[in-house]
Amino acid sequence: MRTKRSLFIGLVFSIMTLSGCWDVSYLTNKKMVTGIGMDAAPNGQITGTVRAAVLKSRGAGQFDIKDEMIQATGDSVNRVGDRIDGMLPGTIDVSKTHVIIIGEELAKRGIFAPLESFYRSRKAYLNGNIIISKGLASEVISAELTESNPVSFDIKQMILGATYKSIVPKQTLYTLWMNTLPDEAADAVMPVIRKIEKNHLIIDTTGLFHGDKFTGVTLAREESCMLMLMMDKLSKLAYLSIPVKSDEAGQRKDTMSNIISFEVRAMKRAFDVSVKPNTEAIQCILKLDLYGEVRSSPTSIGREIDRKALEEELNASLGQRAKDVAGKLKQANSDVLGIGRRLRAHHNEMWKRLDWNEKFKEVVMNPEVNVHIQSTGILK
């Protein structure tokens, strides 16, 4: 009898202390936002375009996924979100927003204000990719690339492919905040997506920032890849296409038969910032050692590649490319290399009294590139 009473009391206590499913949320009541596009609108307003995955039950535990697009305009991101929420049945869930696309005109106003609400939200997906669009973000996110996948998933796969080849940086809500946004001593660089045909998109360009504002200066594919190497951001590999001399006069001709393709598989970077005591002139010393394989050399078919001579020619060509990139950084007043951070750490008294916005344009940058050919494939 005593055992039964103890068992009964224990059962009642367990029932009273067990928590119920008071916060249950059904997927069928949610509209999962997979991608967001934001554009500048007149009078300082913002136009938001949302791609949402809507689940529709077919019974027996099966669902159909429909990729819907909704657009609204308001004076803030929160106001736009409220209006879009009212236009869709159920509740909007941004915890799986894979892509945030900011139109170039809105990016020129500044990206911190549009992104501020995402950083404050407990449900924001900090690994969501952030990219800039050439033109309107709404035109990009409204593209229909494939029938089976939501367009946001396709764009994310494009970003993964471009970052794998070290063409663009991996820029997410988290990395943007941790590396650049709150720091006046460093600027951001972001991938740029653009529309090339009816429903074709491409990511092969990067945009330079000063503070949280897009400068309008972009780097094309080859320059962007070089910048990633200068920033020590080699991902898995990097493909470099380099024009070579092909005639007795030593003239470069940018034709298919005169382009060397070099695959960078490993690298070493030496980076330092020095200050002359008397003039306080700032010099950035940047040296890259690139190790990899010659993937294509049409001019050497039928004969053995002279590795030393080719390395010297690639050094000169890539060195000039690095100098051109450095010139564009100064043109955009964009310190993506983190020169200001090095100054602040090692020359703090000087850093406190200088105007970095003006001083950065005077920095002397002489990048040097050394190519090390480790393989020429199965041909010599």
Short mmCIF file of all heavy atoms in Angstrom, two decimals, residues 72-98:
data_model
loop_
_atom_site.label_atom_id
_atom_site.label_comp_id
_atom_site.label_asym_id
_atom_site.label_seq_id
_atom_site.Cartn_x
_atom_site.Cartn_y
_atom_site.Cartn_z
N ALA A 72 7.24 45.73 -50.82
CA ALA A 72 6.60 46.83 -50.10
C ALA A 72 7.62 47.94 -49.92
O ALA A 72 8.84 47.72 -49.98
CB ALA A 72 6.07 46.37 -48.74
N THR A 73 7.12 49.15 -49.67
CA THR A 73 7.98 50.32 -49.47
C THR A 73 7.63 50.99 -48.16
O THR A 73 6.46 51.08 -47.78
CB THR A 73 7.81 51.33 -50.63
OG1 THR A 73 8.18 50.69 -51.87
CG2 THR A 73 8.70 52.55 -50.43
N GLY A 74 8.66 51.46 -47.45
CA GLY A 74 8.44 52.14 -46.18
C GLY A 74 9.62 53.00 -45.82
O GLY A 74 10.64 53.03 -46.53
N ASP A 75 9.52 53.72 -44.70
CA ASP A 75 10.60 54.61 -44.29
C ASP A 75 11.65 53.92 -43.45
O ASP A 75 12.62 54.54 -43.03
CB ASP A 75 10.03 55.83 -43.54
CG ASP A 75 9.13 55.42 -42.39
OD1 ASP A 75 9.13 54.23 -42.02
OD2 ASP A 75 8.42 56.29 -41.85
N SER A 76 11.49 52.63 -43.17
CA SER A 76 12.49 51.86 -42.43
C SER A 76 12.32 50.39 -42.78
O SER A 76 11.28 49.97 -43.29
CB SER A 76 12.34 52.07 -40.92
OG SER A 76 11.15 51.47 -40.44
N VAL A 77 13.34 49.61 -42.45
CA VAL A 77 13.28 48.18 -42.72
C VAL A 77 12.17 47.53 -41.89
O VAL A 77 11.45 46.65 -42.38
CB VAL A 77 14.64 47.52 -42.42
CG1 VAL A 77 14.55 45.99 -42.50
CG2 VAL A 77 15.69 48.02 -43.40
N ASN A 78 12.01 47.95 -40.65
CA ASN A 78 10.96 47.38 -39.80
C ASN A 78 9.57 47.67 -40.36
O ASN A 78 8.68 46.82 -40.33
CB ASN A 78 11.07 47.93 -38.38
CG ASN A 78 12.21 47.27 -37.61
OD1 ASN A 78 12.59 46.14 -37.91
ND2 ASN A 78 12.76 47.98 -36.65
N ARG A 79 9.37 48.90 -40.86
CA ARG A 79 8.07 49.24 -41.44
C ARG A 79 7.79 48.41 -42.69
O ARG A 79 6.66 47.94 -42.90
CB ARG A 79 8.06 50.74 -41.79
CG ARG A 79 6.71 51.25 -42.30
CD ARG A 79 5.65 51.17 -41.22
NE ARG A 79 5.97 52.01 -40.09
CZ ARG A 79 5.69 53.32 -40.02
NH1 ARG A 79 5.10 53.92 -41.03
NH2 ARG A 79 6.00 54.00 -38.94
N VAL A 80 8.82 48.22 -43.51
CA VAL A 80 8.66 47.38 -44.70
C VAL A 80 8.32 45.95 -44.30
O VAL A 80 7.42 45.32 -44.87
CB VAL A 80 9.95 47.40 -45.55
CG1 VAL A 80 9.87 46.37 -46.68
CG2 VAL A 80 10.18 48.79 -46.13
N GLY A 81 9.01 45.44 -43.27
CA GLY A 81 8.74 44.08 -42.80
C GLY A 81 7.33 43.92 -42.28
O GLY A 81 6.67 42.90 -42.53
N ASP A 82 6.83 44.94 -41.55
CA ASP A 82 5.46 44.88 -41.04
C ASP A 82 4.44 44.83 -42.18
O ASP A 82 3.44 44.09 -42.11
CB ASP A 82 5.18 46.08 -40.14
CG ASP A 82 5.94 46.00 -38.82
OD1 ASP A 82 6.35 44.89 -38.46
OD2 ASP A 82 6.11 47.05 -38.17
N ARG A 83 4.67 45.61 -43.22
CA ARG A 83 3.74 45.62 -44.34
C ARG A 83 3.75 44.29 -45.09
O ARG A 83 2.70 43.78 -45.48
CB ARG A 83 4.09 46.77 -45.29
CG ARG A 83 3.80 48.15 -44.70
CD ARG A 83 4.09 49.26 -45.69
NE ARG A 83 3.72 50.56 -45.13
CZ ARG A 83 3.90 51.72 -45.75
NH1 ARG A 83 4.46 51.73 -46.96
NH2 ARG A 83 3.53 52.85 -45.18
N ILE A 84 4.95 43.74 -45.30
CA ILE A 84 5.04 42.45 -45.98
C ILE A 84 4.40 41.36 -45.14
O ILE A 84 3.73 40.45 -45.65
CB ILE A 84 6.51 42.12 -46.32
CG1 ILE A 84 7.01 43.08 -47.40
CG2 ILE A 84 6.66 40.68 -46.77
CD1 ILE A 84 8.47 42.91 -47.75
N ASP A 85 4.58 41.42 -43.83
CA ASP A 85 3.98 40.44 -42.92
C ASP A 85 2.47 40.47 -43.03
O ASP A 85 1.79 39.43 -42.96
CB ASP A 85 4.41 40.74 -41.48
CG ASP A 85 4.14 39.56 -40.56
OD1 ASP A 85 3.80 38.47 -41.07
OD2 ASP A 85 4.28 39.72 -39.34
N GLY A 86 1.92 41.66 -43.22
CA GLY A 86 0.47 41.78 -43.35
C GLY A 86 -0.06 41.34 -44.70
O GLY A 86 -1.27 41.14 -44.87
N MET A 87 0.83 41.16 -45.67
CA MET A 87 0.42 40.76 -47.02
C MET A 87 0.46 39.25 -47.21
O MET A 87 0.02 38.74 -48.24
CB MET A 87 1.31 41.45 -48.06
CG MET A 87 1.21 42.97 -48.03
SD MET A 87 2.53 43.80 -48.95
CE MET A 87 2.10 43.37 -50.63
N LEU A 88 1.03 38.54 -46.25
CA LEU A 88 1.13 37.09 -46.34
C LEU A 88 0.39 36.44 -45.18
O LEU A 88 0.43 36.94 -44.06
CB LEU A 88 2.60 36.65 -46.30
CG LEU A 88 3.44 36.84 -47.57
CD1 LEU A 88 4.90 36.57 -47.26
CD2 LEU A 88 2.96 35.94 -48.69
N PRO A 89 -0.29 35.32 -45.43
CA PRO A 89 -0.92 34.60 -44.31
C PRO A 89 0.15 33.97 -43.43
O PRO A 89 1.21 33.56 -43.90
CB PRO A 89 -1.77 33.54 -45.02
CG PRO A 89 -1.09 33.32 -46.33
CD PRO A 89 -0.52 34.66 -46.72
N GLY A 90 -0.11 33.89 -42.15
CA GLY A 90 0.87 33.31 -41.24
C GLY A 90 1.87 34.35 -40.77
O GLY A 90 1.67 35.56 -40.92
N THR A 91 2.96 33.86 -40.20
CA THR A 91 3.98 34.74 -39.62
C THR A 91 5.29 34.61 -40.38
O THR A 91 5.74 33.52 -40.69
CB THR A 91 4.23 34.36 -38.14
OG1 THR A 91 3.00 34.41 -37.43
CG2 THR A 91 5.23 35.31 -37.51
N ILE A 92 5.90 35.76 -40.70
CA ILE A 92 7.18 35.76 -41.40
C ILE A 92 8.29 35.31 -40.46
O ILE A 92 8.38 35.76 -39.32
CB ILE A 92 7.49 37.16 -41.96
CG1 ILE A 92 6.67 37.40 -43.23
CG2 ILE A 92 8.97 37.32 -42.26
CD1 ILE A 92 6.98 38.69 -43.91
N ASP A 93 9.15 34.43 -40.94
CA ASP A 93 10.28 33.93 -40.16
C ASP A 93 11.57 34.21 -40.95
O ASP A 93 11.75 33.69 -42.04
CB ASP A 93 10.12 32.43 -39.91
CG ASP A 93 11.19 31.88 -38.98
OD1 ASP A 93 12.15 32.61 -38.68
OD2 ASP A 93 11.07 30.71 -38.56
N VAL A 94 12.44 35.07 -40.39
CA VAL A 94 13.68 35.45 -41.09
C VAL A 94 14.88 34.64 -40.59
O VAL A 94 16.02 34.97 -40.91
CB VAL A 94 13.97 36.95 -40.92
CG1 VAL A 94 12.88 37.78 -41.56
CG2 VAL A 94 14.13 37.31 -39.44
N SER A 95 14.64 33.59 -39.82
CA SER A 95 15.75 32.83 -39.23
C SER A 95 16.49 31.98 -40.25
O SER A 95 17.52 31.39 -39.93
CB SER A 95 15.23 31.94 -38.10
OG SER A 95 14.33 30.96 -38.59
N LYS A 96 15.98 31.88 -41.47
CA LYS A 96 16.64 31.10 -42.52
C LYS A 96 16.81 31.94 -43.78
O LYS A 96 16.72 31.43 -44.90
CB LYS A 96 15.85 29.83 -42.82
CG LYS A 96 15.86 28.82 -41.70
CD LYS A 96 17.27 28.28 -41.46
CE LYS A 96 17.28 27.23 -40.36
NZ LYS A 96 17.10 27.83 -39.03
N THR A 97 17.10 33.23 -43.58
CA THR A 97 17.33 34.11 -44.73
C THR A 97 18.77 33.91 -45.22
O THR A 97 19.72 34.37 -44.60
CB THR A 97 17.12 35.59 -44.33
OG1 THR A 97 15.80 35.75 -43.80
CG2 THR A 97 17.29 36.50 -45.54
N HIS A 98 18.91 33.22 -46.34
CA HIS A 98 20.23 32.85 -46.83
C HIS A 98 20.95 33.99 -47.53
O HIS A 98 22.18 34.03 -47.53
CB HIS A 98 20.12 31.66 -47.80
CG HIS A 98 19.70 30.39 -47.13
ND1 HIS A 98 20.58 29.58 -46.45
CD2 HIS A 98 18.49 29.79 -47.00
CE1 HIS A 98 19.95 28.54 -45.96
NE2 HIS A 98 18.67 28.64 -46.28
#
